[in-house]
Amino acid sequence: MKKILPVQKGELIEMSITGLGSSGEGVGKYQGFTVFVPGALPGEKVSVLINLVKKNYATGVLQRVLEPSAERLTPPCSVYEQCGGCQLQHLSYAGQLAMKQQQVKDALMRIGHLDVEVLPVIGCNDPWNYRNKMQFPAAMDGEGLLQLGCYATASHSVVDTDSCMIQKAANNEVLLTVRKWMQCFGITAYDEKTGKGLVRHVMSRVGVHSGEVMAVLITSAYDIPHKKELVEWLKKYVPGLVSVVQNINKKKTNIIMGDKTRVIYGQSTIKDSLGALNFNISAQSFFQVNSEQAEKLYNTALEYAALNGTETVVDVYCGTGTISLYLARHARQVYGIEIVAPAIADAKKNAELNNCQNAEFILGDAAVELPKLLATGIQPDVVLVDPPRAGCEEKVLAAIAEVGPERVVYVSCNPASLARDLAYMEEHGYKTTIVQPVDMFSMTSHVENVALLSKI
């Protein structure tokens, strides 16, 4: 017998919002049935037009806020409602931090069935203008006008903007300068459907502590008309510019960068630092996009690792070695393991740059390399993991449990996969003692976490 649902597509309903979902959307119950409403906030009564109905939930479009939350604000960005870059500008910053703490608590309880202390979120001193890396797509609209900005929510339609409020000022200067250059010289934007057009993305990177700026043009072909003018304009209008780089991506793909990169002005890298560590950052290097908050994140990981200088540490999913090197200054020996070869190459360069003699980087699968280390007599006291959003592979968690370090420090950008992985470790000899969220991406629904697990 077919279940009769309390809402239908196209129906206008009134409901109360009780929480926020993982993407920052309002969540509430209508006659016991879950409805997700982007733009709505907890504590609000809203009018909603149902636009999608599934077996266990529905989604709706916010029509009117009948009873607003005390934390509701008017978003300062003119394209906020169209743009997919931010999700929470309509919520006060204090409200954002409280929401993210609750999001982590809910995920741990609902997914991991874990009753763990989740500390208040470590917030930003300034929640605006924090991104040190910009990558904005280029497109032409139906009338042949240039569009540069962010993708609209859940689409590849480009929302045109001259300035993004969460970007460093220099990134916005690069965006504005490239826009003027393209318009002045008739430089075409790439069309995903036809494969025609030159400029696919405009990217830039800012060394927050060095002041150095790199502009990157991602193109579908090698030749750039009026390249000389582009370089001259960027040098003139972007303070701190030391590098202009071209990346060539000829493939019909959603992947932003291609395999070929060339420097067309200045240096191949810019410099930046985290704490006492220095880094050379190329166009394709991984580096945390919020430099100020990254230091708070790494200091939390260091605190939880509780190093006194005698420990052996293994950093799984070490990437370019930033956390490995951060820990190495306080440990006897650090081993970083990463399956991506270019990341390991960058990690070794970073270790050399910082004259770090007690960090060794290993290319390979952690599930294989961890037992190998154990077989050579190396017994880690601390294992740190910082996996991608999908979390750790089960075989990696199994290898960590088998190796049996006294402490595991888990850095996560996804509360859901974190909860799942912590539950696995609780079943294999570990207890999660505390979780510290860090707001790396203010105005968005994302939250970073550092969890401490102790061997039982």
Side-chain angles (χ1 to χ4, degrees):
M1 184 176 176
K2 190 174 180 181
K3 182 180 178 182
I4 299 175
L5 301 177
V7 296
Q8 302 296 322
K9 184 177 180 181
E11 184 180 358
L12 187 67
I13 65 171
E14 292 184 4
M15 61 178 293
S16 296
I17 303 298
T18 56
L20 285 178
S22 60
S23 298
E25 71 277 37
V27 184
K29 298 278 189 180
Y30 181 77
Q31 296 182 15
F33 191 69
T34 301
V35 181
F36 295 93
V37 187
L41 294 175
E44 294 186 331
K45 186 176 181 180
V46 294
S47 171
V48 178
L49 182 66
I50 300 298
N51 65 346
L52 176 70
V53 179
K54 295 288 188 179
K55 182 180 178 181
N56 296 315
Y57 71 93
T59 65
V61 179
L62 179 64
Q63 301 297 293
R64 289 179 59 205
V65 178
L66 304 174
E67 296 176 9
S69 164
E71 301 298 328
R72 177 173 284 278
L73 299 176
T74 300
C77 176
S78 61
V79 297
Y80 171 65
E81 290 187 3
Q82 296 81 42
C83 178
C86 296
Q87 300 85 44
L88 296 176
Q89 285 191 22
H90 61 296
L91 178 60
S92 72
Y93 191 53
Q96 291 182 36
L97 297 182
M99 178 278 289
K100 291 181 180 186
Q101 182 186 24
Q102 191 61 48
Q103 181 186 24
V104 177
K105 288 181 178 179
D106 290 346
L108 292 174
M109 182 62 73
R110 186 183 71 255
I111 298 169
H113 307 291
L114 300 171
D115 185 13
V116 179
E117 182 182 10
V118 178
L119 297 175
V121 181
I122 298 175
C124 305
N125 295 332
D126 180 2
W128 300 100
N129 305 115
Y130 61 86
R131 284 191 65 94
N132 59 41
K133 178 184 178 182
M134 169 193 74
Q135 46 189 31
F136 281 173
M140 310 300 286
D141 69 7
E143 298 178 358
L145 297 176
L146 175 64
Q147 309 290 298
L148 272 176
C150 289
Y151 287 125
T153 304
S155 84
H156 267 219
S157 298
V158 176
V159 177
D160 192 53
T161 183
D162 285 334
S163 178
C164 174
M165 297 182 69
I166 61 173
Q167 295 290 341
K168 291 292 183 185
N171 287 336
N172 286 322
E173 291 296 339
V174 170
L175 176 69
L176 196 61
T177 303
V178 173
R179 174 192 293 281
K180 290 179 178 177
W181 169 76
M182 291 181 70
Q183 290 171 333
C184 181
F185 296 104
I187 307 298
T188 55
Y190 181 75
D191 187 316
E192 289 184 341
K193 295 179 181 177
T194 66
K196 296 180 180 179
L198 180 64
V199 178
R200 298 175 70 121
H201 280 77
V202 178
M203 176 177 154
S204 60
R205 311 193 75 147
V206 178
V208 172
H209 297 102
S210 69
E212 294 183 347
V213 179
M214 171 189 290
V216 184
L217 204 65
I218 300 161
T219 62
S220 62
Y222 191 82
D223 293 328
I224 301 177
H226 301 284
K227 178 176 66 179
K228 181 179 178 182
E229 288 87 347
L230 171 63
V231 171
E232 290 304 315
W233 285 20
L234 287 167
K235 287 165 64 178
K236 181 178 180 180
Y237 295 115
V238 182
L241 185 85
V242 298
S243 174
V244 182
V245 171
Q246 179 192 10
N247 176 267
I248 302 98
N249 184 358
K250 296 182 177 181
K251 297 178 181 178
K252 271 199 167 186
T253 174
N254 289 335
I255 296 172
I256 293 176
M257 301 193 80
D259 297 329
K260 294 182 180 179
T261 301
R262 65 167 179 162
V263 177
I264 56 180
Y265 165 75
Q267 307 167 182
S268 61
T269 61
I270 60 171
K271 295 182 178 64
D272 206 358
S273 59
L274 285 174
L277 298 172
N278 298 307
F279 298 92
N280 284 323
I281 304 164
S282 68
Q284 290 163 302
S285 293
F286 171 79
F287 197 74
Q288 293 283 1
V289 300
N290 189 331
S291 300
E292 295 91 339
Q293 291 299 98
E295 288 194 30
K296 297 175 185 178
L297 180 78
Y298 291 179
N299 283 332
T300 301
L302 180 61
E303 176 190 343
Y304 287 2
L307 304 176
N308 60 26
T310 64
E311 295 88 357
T312 297
V313 180
V314 176
D315 179 7
V316 181
Y317 304 99
C318 70
T320 56
T322 49
I323 299 184
S324 301
L325 297 176
Y326 217 83
L327 298 178
R329 297 174 64 244
H330 303 271
R332 185 181 64 81
Q333 181 69 36
V334 174
Y335 297 91
I337 303 174
E338 173 61 60
I339 204 166
V340 179
I344 284 290
D346 280 346
K348 291 178 178 179
K349 290 177 185 176
N350 288 331
E352 186 176 345
L353 175 66
N354 289 282
N355 194 29
C356 183
Q357 307 293 328
N358 63 330
E360 180 180 333
F361 294 99
I362 302 165
L363 176 63
D365 184 338
V368 176
E369 300 302 330
L370 266 175
K372 278 187 184 178
L373 285 175
L374 199 63
T376 62
I378 295 168
Q379 176 62 51
D381 303 289
V382 178
V383 168
L384 183 138
V385 293
D386 185 8
R389 283 193 65 79
C392 292
E393 296 174 275
E394 186 173 316
K395 62 181 181 179
V396 173
L397 294 174
I400 294 170
E402 184 178 345
V403 167
E406 286 299 315
R407 294 178 298 287
V408 176
V409 179
Y410 193 133
V411 179
S412 168
C413 59
N414 184 351
S417 58
L418 172 66
R420 180 202 66 207
D421 291 351
L422 294 183
Y424 179 94
M425 294 301 289
E426 294 242 343
E427 293 175 357
H428 292 80
Y430 284 85
K431 177 70 176 174
T432 305
T433 58
I434 199 165
V435 176
Q436 174 64 74
V438 180
D439 189 27
M440 296 284 285
F441 312 101
S442 57
M443 305 301 146
T444 81
S445 58
H446 302 295
V447 60
E448 203 93 3
N449 293 279
V450 186
L452 173 62
L453 299 88
S454 300
K455 191 175 181 182
I456 299 172

